[in-house]
Amino acid sequence: MYRLLRAPFRPVTYSRWLHLCVPLLLLAIWMFINPAWPWAPLLIVIPFGFVPWVRLAEGLQAQFLLTPSDRGSADSRISTAPSARWSDRWRTLLWLEIRLVVASAAMFATVSLPVMSVELVATALGHSLTADPMLPFTPPRWAAALLAPVPVIVLLFVVVLLGEVITAIARRLLGPSAAERLTALEARTEQLLERTRIARELHDSIGHALTVAVVQAGAARAAGDPAFTDRALMAIEETGRAALEDLERVLLVLRESAQPPSQRPTLAEADRLLESARASGAAVDARLTGPLEKLPGPVTREGYRILQEALTNVLRHCGPVPVRVRVEMAGDRLDLEVTNPMPERPAVTVGGGSGLRGMRERAALLGGEAATGPYEGGWRVRARLPLERIR
């Protein structure tokens, strides 16, 4: 009852009423052509049901008039795509037929019920009715005065009811097919994966730069040596510049929704990571063997990020300690290992993060594996990335 009382004040009531009235144009035109066959429009619309673009037009019209609040939403339950399969064409045809039938009921109510109200008002005022009245009987004048608003209320109820019915039918017959839902799900999944990749890029590049800056600034303040301070500031500048380049790459993804993978750093540029760690005070023993420049794109890019995160964690949690880095192409895989001793003092910076999980996720996406944890009294990050599956 409350919903019925609210209906006159809801714009969607009138937009749905307009949607119900649109097919009346076809019916009205046909009545001028051959009123003896009022059911002929049901046959006329059959060929249109098999035209792919009719489904798109009907979907747009239904979204605009039946569900305006969902228009443009990714969660809209009414599709605006042309018919791609015969199942879509048959559903479009069924929709056109049902829409004509429901529109006929709406037309009858829209015309007859207001006329009944007018006739009741005329009867209440003492006027005689026409020779063919809509009222099934002529009530007394006092009863006509009381009943005059009833047809209008009934019309409102019928419009709301038929609007709900046609909306439910539209969502059923014009809704996305199974193939369209699968396509939308795949697009949503790709979007989420892209967001995850962007989050990892920001975490790895910006996190690495900030960690180096914090370690360098702390070391410079503790050393009290102007020469060391100059070297620390230079290292902070170089690391910050590299982080800005990484940030520009990530922002390019956000601005253009597409980034050439070749623009992302690779293991061929691992020297800058090693030099950054050395500039932070860590004694890095690095050995990179094999033609790393020939690595497949996904492997060399994700390997770079895993190495970057491993070095960042060393500086963040252990400070400038000795680090052993081994990167090697071993047959059909890339082996990457970073080990360091555990410090006796508390970590330079504390706080949990998603870096270790991110390394495992990067390796898993390539069909490889990454393991992190204590190793011979220290800490080890070990990743194995297959090459054959990527080529």
Side-chain angles (χ1 to χ4, degrees), residues 199-267:
R200 284 200 301 261
E201 293 286 328
L202 287 174
H203 175 274
D204 293 347
S205 60
I206 306 303
H208 175 78
L210 292 178
T211 298
V212 170
V214 169
V215 173
Q216 289 281 6
R221 184 179 61 179
D225 181 0
F228 183 86
T229 301
D230 289 341
R231 291 196 301 272
L233 290 175
M234 185 178 299
I236 292 174
E237 179 185 1
E238 292 176 355
T239 305
R241 186 179 294 110
L244 286 175
E245 293 175 0
D246 287 343
L247 182 60
E248 283 296 326
R249 279 189 283 264
V250 173
L251 292 178
L252 180 63
V253 174
L254 295 175
R255 286 193 297 263
E256 301 181 6
S257 300
Q259 176 187 5
S262 59
Q263 294 185 7
R264 295 169 57 193
T266 66
L267 278 176

Side-chain angles (χ1 to χ4, degrees), residues 306 333-336 363-364 366-371 382-386:
I306 292 174
R333 73 172 188 269
L334 174 71
D335 288 341
L336 188 152
L366 299 178
E369 59 181 2
R382 186 177 185 181
R384 291 183 174 180
L385 308 179

Side-chain angles (χ1 to χ4, degrees), residues 75-215:
D75 298 327
S76 176
R77 295 165 59 185
I78 297 179
S79 173
T80 56
S83 299
R85 294 169 175 78
W86 278 103
S87 59
D88 296 336
R89 294 181 175 90
W90 284 110
R91 289 198 300 160
T92 304
L93 173 59
L94 183 58
W95 158 256
L96 294 175
E97 299 288 351
I98 293 177
R99 188 179 179 189
L100 280 174
V101 174
V102 177
S104 300
M107 177 186 67
F108 178 79
T110 300
V111 173
S112 62
L113 291 174
V115 171
M116 289 184 184
S117 285
V118 171
E119 291 178 348
L120 287 171
V121 171
T123 301
L125 295 177
H127 298 291
S128 59
L129 301 180
T130 61
D132 190 17
M134 295 295 298
L135 288 173
F137 63 94
T138 303
R141 293 180 59 182
W142 63 270
L146 294 177
L147 294 175
V150 173
V152 176
I153 296 174
V154 173
L155 173 62
L156 179 62
F157 175 79
V158 170
V159 168
V160 172
L161 178 62
L162 292 180
E164 293 287 345
V165 169
I166 200 64
T167 301
I169 295 174
R171 286 171 172 163
R172 177 65 177 174
L173 297 180
L174 296 180
S177 63
E180 291 172 338
R181 287 194 296 268
L182 181 59
T183 301
L185 181 60
E186 290 176 348
R188 177 64 174 168
T189 301
E190 289 183 4
Q191 187 180 56
L192 292 176
L193 289 175
E194 183 67 9
R195 290 181 179 179
T196 302
R197 186 180 74 82
I198 292 173
R200 284 200 301 261
E201 293 286 328
L202 287 174
H203 175 274
D204 293 347
S205 60
I206 306 303
H208 175 78
L210 292 178
T211 298
V212 170
V214 169
V215 173

